[in-house]
Amino acid sequence: MKILSIVGARPQFVKLAPIAHALAPGGHEHVIVHTGQHYDANMSDVFFEDLDIPAPNVHLGVGSGSHGVQTGAMLSAMDGVLDEHRPDWVLVYGDTNSTIAGALSAVKLHFPLAHLEAGLRSFNRRMPEEHNRVLTDHAADLCLAPTQTAIDHLIREGLGERAVLVGDVMTDVCLSVAAQVRDSAPLLPEGVDGSQDYLVSTIHRAENTDDPEQLRSIIDALAALPIPVVLLAHPRLVARAATAGIDLKRGALRPTAPLGYPQMVAAVLHSRGVVTDSGGLQKEAFLLGAPCTTLRTETEWTETVDLGWNVLRPQVDDLAAVVMRPRPAPSTASPYGDGRAAEATVATLMRHLR
Ligand code: UD1
């Protein structure tokens, strides 16, 4: 079987790792296409190195741009790549502009398309990720869903016959990396003592970073928290804060460059909790036993909220009380699978081979 994976943004490299590892033993051919959406070494290369992912076979080098420019550049570059490699499956991941560009390129050239992490919904039509995931699911021949909730969404949209529950590949990689780093001290920025309470925070979504007033109120609230906040600063946050004249280095805030995956897992494992607007990190916090506060009005990972490990807070007025809340009782539920979703994904792709 020949699979062509299209990735480009940081969370997709994490999801690619277990898929690349699960494809290797079966003698399958795996072509990796990197769109270049993320290009800084700490947003891209470190993931390939740390997670032992083979170097991309093709690099489109698209870089940043408005949604239309970025997506269009990927789409126009993909025709030649698909024509050359002629895969049995094009596999796209998650909900970024690289996902929708990859999906469109595959359906237009009639290559079978599988969408990994299908069926997630925020029902917030202002999020670019919501357009990307809905359109990709409706284009796909196979919707590989991480959770039963995702399957239910797909059924409701008339996609039940194409949907298969494979589990969540991020669980595979998160649990295996956690086992490797559990006993190592986290790499923390100056001014944070790993033996004392600290929080891990990431803020990068358009709805939180692009409006200077919203960004200012979030940064002010984080800076006023009673324990150090390790702020893993995405380039988008750094750029928007600089433009709006918002200082990220004050009060409780300890900004630092984005961490590699093992370092991020170690930092969360030893933390008092997480404050984020990331999708993936909400779930990683749950898997690693760190209470999460999500600075959004809704989440795609509703199980984390239902099980008491995640609290949604679009407004930050009472942030200190929320993030310092008592730890919930440990949960034995495993809504994100048992860490073997990549194997299930490969088996499903084989079973549905045309
Ligand atoms: C993208 C995804 C988002 C995902 C996130 C993970 C879309 C629509 N959004 O958002 O779903 O959660 O990736 O990080 O695809 N930049 C750099 N260096 C880089 C990459 C980006 O400096 O390596 C800066 C540029 O100023 C760029 C901005 O970050 O314009 C935004 O990058 P972009 O890829 O457009 O979206 P993300 O915010 O990273």
Side-chain angles (χ1 to χ4, degrees):
M1 178 170 66
K2 183 170 183 175
I3 306 288
L4 186 142
S5 284
I6 302 175
V7 293
R10 183 170 59 171
Q12 293 168 327
F13 310 138
V14 177
K15 293 164 200 166
L16 171 66
I19 296 292
H21 299 154
L23 281 169
H28 303 292
E29 200 177 336
H30 189 200
V31 178
I32 298 175
V33 179
H34 188 321
T35 63
Q37 177 170 353
H38 286 171
Y39 42 84
D40 290 349
N42 61 11
M43 297 288 288
S44 174
D45 301 8
V46 292
F47 292 87
F48 285 82
E49 286 153 24
D50 289 346
L51 300 177
D52 210 12
I53 307 169
N57 304 76
V58 181
H59 202 299
L60 305 182
V62 161
S64 300
S66 65
H67 288 278
V69 166
Q70 187 179 56
T71 310
M74 293 171 192
L75 186 53
S76 76
M78 276 308 299
D79 279 2
V81 176
L82 288 175
D83 226 19
E84 180 189 340
H85 290 282
R86 312 202 68 76
D88 296 311
W89 281 109
V90 172
L91 185 58
V92 295
Y93 300 67
D95 55 18
T96 74
N97 289 342
S98 299
T99 315
I100 183 72
L104 280 175
S105 67
V107 288
K108 292 215 172 277
L109 292 178
H110 306 294
F111 287 101
L113 172 69
H115 181 206
L116 191 64
E117 212 177 67
L120 292 187
R121 296 291 180 265
S122 66
F123 301 102
N124 176 353
R125 293 300 297 263
R126 290 195 57 79
M127 281 177 73
E129 292 80 6
E130 185 74 355
H131 318 148
N132 289 342
R133 55 171 90 98
V134 170
L135 295 170
T136 300
D137 281 340
H138 283 258
D141 300 284
L142 198 49
C143 293
L144 302 161
T147 60
Q148 185 56 45
T149 310
I151 289 279
D152 295 342
H153 293 149
L154 291 165
I155 292 171
R156 223 168 292 137
E157 292 176 27
L159 301 176
E161 283 182 12
R162 311 180 205 170
V164 180
L165 178 61
V166 290
D168 176 20
V169 292
M170 274 183 82
T171 302
D172 299 16
V173 63
C174 185
L175 296 182
S176 88
V177 168
Q180 291 161 28
V181 302
R182 193 166 289 280
D183 298 326
S184 41
L187 187 74
L188 297 170
E190 227 179 80
V192 187
D193 176 352
S195 64
Q196 305 201 334
D197 277 356
Y198 65 89
L199 296 157
V200 172
S201 182
T202 73
I203 307 294
H204 76 276
R205 288 216 176 263
E207 62 262 37
N208 282 334
T209 54
D210 289 4
D211 171 4
E213 282 324 302
Q214 171 72 358
L215 181 57
R216 195 180 304 279
S217 73
I218 290 175
I219 297 299
D220 285 350
L222 290 173
L225 290 175
I227 57 174
V229 179
V230 177
L231 179 65
L232 306 178
H234 186 287
R236 182 187 194 110
L237 169 65
V238 175
R240 299 294 190 273
T243 309
I246 298 169
D247 180 12
L248 297 178
K249 211 169 182 177
R250 63 197 153 100
L253 287 170
R254 307 283 184 273
T256 182
L259 294 176
Y261 196 73
Q263 292 78 15
M264 195 277 296
V265 168
V268 172
L269 260 177
H270 295 91
S271 73
R272 170 79 165 71
V274 166
V275 187
T276 190
D277 61 6
S278 151
L281 190 52
Q282 295 171 47
K283 195 180 43 188
E284 282 152 349
F286 170 77
L287 294 169
L288 299 171
C292 185
T293 304
T294 299
L295 305 182
R296 286 178 50 195
T297 42
E298 71 286 307
T299 178
E300 299 79 16
W301 304 105
T302 50
E303 301 82 2
T304 58
V305 174
D306 297 342
L307 291 164
W309 281 81
N310 190 7
V311 171
L312 300 178
R313 271 295 180 278
Q315 301 303 332
V316 287
D317 7 318
D318 59 345
L319 194 62
V322 180
V323 299
M324 300 308 289
R325 68 192 183 272
R327 225 182 165 69
S331 170
T332 51
S334 51
Y336 303 119
D338 57 2
R340 300 181 63 176
E343 284 169 44
T345 298
V346 173
T348 306
L349 293 172
M350 290 276 286
R351 218 168 44 242
H352 292 259
L353 207 54
R354 281 202 205 135

